[in-house]
Amino acid sequence: MGLTSQSLEITVVVLAVASVAATVWLWPRLSRNGWRQVLGRLGAILVTQVAIVSALALAVNANFEFYGNWDELLGNNDQAPASVSQGDGQYATVGNMKGGLVQPAGPQGLDRVTGLPEGPADKVGKVESVRIVGRRTRAINPAFVYLPPQYFQQQFHRQRFPVMVVISGYPGGIMNLAQHLQIPQNAGRLIADGKMQPTVIVMVRPTIAPPRDTECVDVPGGPKAETFFTKDLPDAMKSAYRVGHDPSAWGAFGYSSGGTCALQLAMRNPKAYTSAVSLSGDYAIKDDLTTGSLFGPGPEGAQREREHDLLWRLENLPAPQISALVASSRRGESDYGETMKLIHAAKPPMTIDSIILPHGSHQFGTWRREVVPALEWQSQQLTFPQDTEAGAPQKPAPGQARSMPSKGQPPADDKAHKRVEAESPQG
């Protein structure tokens, strides 16, 4: 049974309940004097406590995904790059895996998610459960990959697709993206309704060295999270899927820490991602107990930290040629003031749009109100389609929401900033 499987969690919960019941039942017999009874009482307490703690630990890990499998928990991580064969099964049927940079995986909790595509892939699309191998960083990260129905249709067999890299918060994991934000379910509905162009979506967590929070930073002498997201992950996806090779086809999207990562990745690496969505993200990265030292000591470390402060970058460095969407709430979100500062600091060729709710706290109820318009918005920023053969004519994609201005050009209303309305009712 997998570490995050529902069957293991149910088994351990049943064992915990059974151990408590057995302890209550046997306690009168164990209350007598004698060394056997004393050992029996100690054993009953120990077994009961271990069973209860194990059940709680599995439940917490299944929700936050500190560890995705037994190897991660035990520290037996594979050494990348790995050579693998094509996998079988409902959750892992990755097609062409050149170099083994995308590996089939077990469900990784996907079997617990409702509303996923069911039926022929060319009609409803598909969600695959995989592991992404970092060729440079040697990191191995769990991921879900959503493939739209068009990916499997004959008329698109020579087409490359745009990509959204959707990043969860910390310490959450990819399960939150599929279960709570329902990224693949919402994308499928939007594509079917013609409000979003067919897009490949790869869902990942922000850390590449759990349980440490790496914040998408290349740590001196430590994990190279920025390199993983800007080089390793795109290379892996291009090796296994028909996805766009030009940065204009790539966007980063995230909530909380994942939103922080999305903006950092695009603003610091516009040749990797040309659009970013940040739902309740921060605009500067600081060391804390979960991150450890991210930037290193001395003046060099202080400079690296400044360069991860996005307001400092806009004030002191040329603005990147990207489009960004930021979301916050006037009441209930601590980042509202910084969000408004970022909006006002943005300058061409960067453009920035926003979703500002009247009130909403830092939780999934707020992000669920924002995720659908955010998906629509980012879809409009990405170029599609690209033919897999150079020089072949391009054709419009069904489901493309509307044409967008060229990258780096102001939107039609000639303003650097505009509001994006959330479709959920205001509460």
Side-chain angles (χ1 to χ4, degrees), residues 43-61:
I45 292 172
L46 178 62
V47 170
T48 301
Q49 293 295 319
V50 169
I52 292 173
V53 170
S54 297
L56 291 173
L58 282 171
V60 171
N61 186 67

Side-chain angles (χ1 to χ4, degrees), residues 188-355:
R189 285 190 289 268
L190 289 171
I191 292 171
D193 293 341
K195 296 180 179 179
M196 177 176 165
Q197 61 183 330
T199 304
V200 171
I201 301 177
V202 53
M203 291 159 270
V204 290
R205 62 191 181 190
T207 179
I208 67 167
R212 183 179 185 180
D213 182 10
T214 49
E215 290 280 350
C216 296
V217 171
D218 276 358
V219 181
K224 305 298 182 186
E226 187 172 26
T227 297
F228 177 85
F229 280 99
T230 58
K231 295 181 179 178
D232 284 348
L233 187 150
D235 284 354
M237 290 297 294
K238 293 169 189 176
S239 75
Y241 298 98
R242 298 194 323 275
V243 295
H245 285 206
D246 191 87
S248 63
W250 285 73
F253 184 121
Y255 70 89
S256 190
S257 294
T260 303
C261 279
L263 269 181
Q264 291 277 341
L265 293 172
M267 290 188 66
R268 288 173 51 83
N269 304 274
K271 292 185 178 180
Y273 299 95
T274 53
S275 72
V277 171
S278 175
L279 309 182
S280 304
D282 294 322
Y283 308 111
I285 295 177
K286 303 292 184 181
D287 290 346
D288 59 29
L289 292 177
T290 65
T291 65
S293 177
L294 292 173
F295 307 107
E300 296 84 0
Q303 179 61 24
R304 280 191 287 267
E305 183 172 350
R306 279 192 294 271
E307 290 174 356
H308 282 81
D309 183 327
L310 300 185
L311 286 169
W312 182 91
R313 293 185 70 87
L314 286 173
E315 292 171 0
N316 295 276
L317 300 174
Q321 187 169 318
I322 66 164
S323 54
L325 173 67
V326 293
S328 186
S329 305
R330 291 188 182 90
R331 289 185 290 116
E333 283 278 21
S334 61
D335 71 339
Y336 173 69
E338 295 297 297
T339 298
M340 299 310 297
K341 289 180 182 178
L342 186 82
I343 289 171
H344 295 314
K347 54 192 175 185
M350 178 179 175
T351 60
I352 190 164
D353 301 331
S354 67
I355 298 174

Side-chain angles (χ1 to χ4, degrees), residues 118-143:
E118 294 183 3
D122 62 345
K123 302 296 184 184
V124 297
K126 186 177 184 181
V127 181
E128 297 187 340
S129 177
V130 301
R131 298 189 308 167
I132 295 177
V133 178
R135 183 167 57 85
R136 299 169 183 82
T137 61
R138 307 182 73 82
I140 300 177
N141 231 18

Side-chain angles (χ1 to χ4, degrees), residues 59-125:
V60 171
N61 186 67
N63 186 55
F64 293 108
E65 289 189 32
F66 293 106
Y67 302 98
N69 53 56
W70 292 107
D71 284 334
E72 285 187 0
L73 178 64
L74 300 174
N76 300 325
N77 293 321
D78 295 342
Q79 294 297 312
S83 176
V84 298
S85 58
Q86 182 168 336
D88 298 318
Q90 179 181 0
Y91 304 105
T93 56
V94 181
N96 184 17
M97 295 179 294
K98 302 173 183 176
L101 298 179
V102 178
Q103 303 180 354
Q108 300 183 128
L110 201 59
D111 52 343
R112 304 166 64 180
V113 179
T114 59
L116 295 176
E118 294 183 3
D122 62 345
K123 302 296 184 184
V124 297

Side-chain angles (χ1 to χ4, degrees), residues 158-160 385-395:
R158 294 173 58 200
Q159 303 299 137
R160 299 191 188 276
Q386 287 182 316
D387 199 284
T388 58
E389 293 186 10
Q394 294 185 348
K395 54 186 176 183

